[in-house]
Amino acid sequence: MNTAGPLELADLRGKFVVLDFWTYCCINCLHILPELKKLERKYADSVVVIGVHSAKFATERENENIRQAILRYEIEHPVVNDADLVLWQRYQVSVWPSLRVIDPEGNLVAYHQGEIMFEQLDRFFQPAVAAYRRKRALTETPLQFDREAHGEPRTALRFPGKVLADAAGRRLFIADSGHHRIVVTDLQGRLLTVIGSGREGSADGTFGEASFKQPQGMALHDEILYVADTGNHLLRKADLNRRHVATMAGSGKQARGFARRVSTVPRGTPLASPWDLWIHGGDLFIAMAGTHQIWKMDLQGRSVGPYAGSAIEDIIDGSLLPRTPSQTGYAAFAQPSGLASDGERLFVADSEGSSIRAVPLSGAGSVSTIVGTAGLPGRRLFTFGDRDGPASQALLQHPLGVAYHEKVLYIADTYNNKIKRIALEPPYVVQTIGDSSKTFDEPSGLSVADGMLYVADTNHHRIRVLDLSNPSSVGLLDVASLLPPSVQASGEHETSSPAGSAAE
């Protein structure tokens, strides 16, 4: 994919070839994509990146799902679907992400496991490129590839990630993640406003000036909309009365490793892919997907820091926050990506472990698992499926969203393309709502208002609506006057084609 035809290594002689072994569910894999893009920009004449997509989940083996991930994350280099892990085994890869470097003469010369920053790559390639240039082994004519994005239809929404329904204000907030903006409508889909220019960036300012990068989760309090600016590793706030966006927390750099201490300088504190938000009392809870933790910040922005999780990627029940990452008896999460609450517990869609967790909001007690793999002795991150029934036996596949309403938890079972529900009282049975697998394509965000469940149908670029009194009937929210952003030379925010026709 992302190329007009098959590539052979022999065709790439004279170039450094970087093989990026990745899978699109993996937050660590997503973290290095912008680093590789910097490498491709600087060394366009001498380095070619090839993505080797080696799937973890069953749905990730499918070509079309990988193609959608290429579009969602704006990947520009060729990608091969290594569905049967042939290349993974040939290059002796054991973790995601992993890199292998082949020199211009066809020799495997370097490897790396785990995340990596552009500066580290640059320190390797600067002398390497110079050395092969001196020996005249380097071909410095840039290669052009036929990208999947070429000819793609422009839709009003693009890979919407999360939704937030505000029953009191009769509004719906949509994280239009692929367009780097927040769309605000009423509950029937009438466009009210757009927050963000549609340009990728991290600028504060008026709604028209401000910019985001792949925003996801949102929370609302006193006409302040809090936004997880995921791609920028920031927390932002949009003042809906003043129509102004400001940064609340995050240095703009990605946090790495275990964090325990609370920082009193939120604007100087590195964050790591905040994916969803929830407000309880005077605190904002954060699904910090990149460090596999739950964080907390007070709404005045005076402090921010970890609340639960050892930062070890796993599904382990236990006490909230250890002193060290290796301390036993404490909870571990695996890429928490969705939040909801009943007022006493914070429910977490723990995506990489295909589990739903419950975190006490009191600051004491233990994390427990409602549906999922915490009770298994091993392979907790690799046990998944599509099985309804008693919660102790049910299986999910990479859930990204949860919503709570009247003692029922609704689950975006993302990689099964389904919406499920579990009543949070005996006998705790997981049920699929209707025949949703034929309706949705990787749904990732849920929110409830007035008995209606709003669903971010991510790969279909649309918002679906389920009447919870008759959930087998699924409607489409038609944001008829919404147009995709386009940036003209003048810098004006323009529009192109309406949502109704584009979404359909």
Side-chain angles (χ1 to χ4, degrees):
M1 289 163 272
N2 255 6
T3 181
L7 290 174
E8 301 287 343
L9 279 177
D11 300 331
L12 301 174
R13 291 290 185 266
K15 305 287 186 188
F16 283 96
V17 178
V18 178
L19 301 180
D20 172 31
F21 288 85
W22 70 300
T23 185
Y24 72 78
C25 67
C26 168
I27 193 67
N28 309 97
C29 299
L30 301 185
H31 283 163
I32 72 167
L33 289 175
E35 309 303 313
L36 292 173
K37 188 166 285 190
K38 294 175 189 175
L39 181 74
E40 293 174 278
R41 294 285 189 271
K42 180 168 182 179
Y43 295 97
D45 296 346
S46 51
V47 175
V48 175
V49 176
I50 306 290
V52 183
H53 191 274
S54 306
K56 170 184 173 179
F57 289 98
T59 194
E60 293 181 303
R61 299 186 190 123
E62 299 175 18
N63 281 342
E64 180 56 25
N65 292 339
I66 299 170
R67 195 181 82 85
Q68 291 298 323
I70 290 169
L71 294 170
R72 186 185 316 163
Y73 298 113
E74 300 177 356
I75 296 170
E76 299 175 358
H77 51 253
V79 174
V80 58
N81 182 2
D82 187 29
D84 297 321
L85 303 183
V86 173
L87 295 174
W88 174 278
Q89 294 169 12
R90 183 177 301 167
Y91 285 90
Q92 299 180 8
V93 178
S94 59
V95 299
W96 297 280
S98 287
L99 302 181
R100 300 292 185 266
V101 180
I102 299 167
D103 75 0
E105 296 174 335
N107 303 303
L108 183 64
V109 295
Y111 71 94
H112 178 82
Q113 293 188 159
E115 294 187 29
I116 193 168
M117 299 177 66
F118 166 73
E119 291 74 14
Q120 297 168 272
L121 292 165
D122 195 30
R123 285 196 294 270
F124 172 84
F125 278 102
Q126 275 197 35
V129 167
Y132 281 83
R133 183 181 290 131
R134 285 193 299 270
K135 62 192 294 190
R136 299 188 178 183
L138 202 60
T139 302
E140 299 189 71
T141 303
L143 297 179
Q144 300 295 325
F145 298 106
D146 188 5
R147 292 175 55 197
E148 299 292 330
H150 293 161
E152 274 290 299
R154 300 190 65 216
T155 53
L157 295 173
R158 182 170 174 81
F159 298 108
K162 298 292 185 183
V163 288
L164 173 64
D166 169 29
R170 317 301 301 166
R171 293 171 295 188
L172 183 70
F173 299 90
I174 304 168
D176 190 8
S177 307
H179 284 147
H180 313 293
R181 63 183 183 175
I182 307 297
V183 173
V184 188
T185 74
D186 67 14
L187 294 179
Q188 287 70 47
R190 184 173 65 90
L191 182 63
L192 300 178
T193 192
V194 175
I195 305 173
S197 65
R199 307 175 185 90
E200 180 183 314
S202 58
D204 290 341
T206 66
F207 282 7
E209 296 168 342
S211 55
F212 301 87
K213 183 178 180 182
Q214 297 170 352
Q216 289 285 341
M218 299 159 290
L220 181 67
H221 181 74
D222 287 345
E223 289 303 290
I224 300 294
L225 182 72
Y226 298 88
V227 180
D229 193 1
T230 306
N232 282 321
H233 308 295
L234 298 175
L235 294 179
R236 317 287 293 282
K237 63 177 181 178
D239 188 319
L240 300 174
N241 291 327
R242 295 179 55 231
R243 297 179 61 82
H244 188 272
V245 175
T247 299
M248 281 199 76
S251 65
K253 296 182 178 179
Q254 179 194 331
R256 300 176 187 277
F258 174 71
R260 187 182 191 281
R261 293 184 179 179
V262 171
S263 169
T264 57
V265 190
R267 285 289 303 268
T269 303
L271 310 180
S273 295
W275 210 276
D276 204 6
L277 306 175
W278 189 266
I279 291 174
H280 176 73
D283 293 317
L284 181 70
F285 287 85
I286 307 151
M288 199 68 74
T291 59
H292 312 292
Q293 291 178 304
I294 305 300
W295 282 37
K296 184 177 74 170
M297 181 177 70
D298 69 286
L299 293 180
Q300 287 71 41
R302 295 169 300 195
S303 63
V304 66
Y307 178 79
S310 66
I312 295 173
E313 187 176 8
D314 206 338
I315 303 295
I316 298 174
D317 291 344
S319 301
L320 295 176
L321 190 64
R323 290 184 295 274
T324 64
S326 58
Q327 195 170 358
T328 59
Y330 288 84
F333 299 88
Q335 203 170 308
S337 301
L339 300 178
S341 178
D342 62 357
E344 297 181 357
R345 297 169 291 178
L346 187 69
F347 302 113
V348 181
D350 218 359
S351 60
E352 280 296 284
S354 299
S355 298
I356 305 297
R357 319 291 295 284
V359 181
L361 288 168
S362 63
S366 295
V367 174
S368 60
T369 296
I370 297 174
V371 182
T373 63
L376 298 178
R379 295 192 61 79
R380 287 180 290 273
L381 302 185
F382 295 88
T383 300
F384 54 85
D386 183 6
R387 182 196 297 157
D388 289 357
S392 60
Q393 301 173 28
L395 292 176
L396 308 172
Q397 186 178 189
H398 197 79
L400 287 176
V402 283
Y404 175 83
H405 180 64
E406 296 182 347
K407 298 184 179 180
V408 174
L409 192 65
Y410 296 91
I411 303 166
D413 193 4
T414 306
Y415 283 6
N416 284 324
N417 301 321
K418 292 183 177 181
I419 307 301
K420 298 186 178 182
R421 54 163 280 163
I422 177 171
L424 296 176
E425 53 190 7
Y428 305 107
V429 174
V430 176
Q431 299 172 310
T432 296
I433 298 177
D435 191 9
S436 55
S437 65
K438 297 180 180 179
T439 302
F440 301 103
D441 190 350
E442 296 195 4
S444 56
L446 304 176
S447 192
V448 177
D450 293 350
M452 308 298 286
L453 180 67
Y454 294 86
V455 182
D457 190 5
T458 302
N459 284 0
H460 281 149
H461 314 294
R462 60 182 64 171
I463 305 302
R464 293 287 196 175
V465 187
L466 284 76
D467 184 340
L468 293 179
S469 65
N470 181 25
S472 61
S473 176
V474 182
L476 173 67
L477 188 78
D478 183 15
V479 191
S481 59
L482 178 66
L483 302 167
S486 62
V487 180
Q488 303 296 321
S490 63
E492 293 296 319
H493 179 87
E494 267 193 19
T495 54
S496 172
S497 59
S501 58
E504 290 302 310

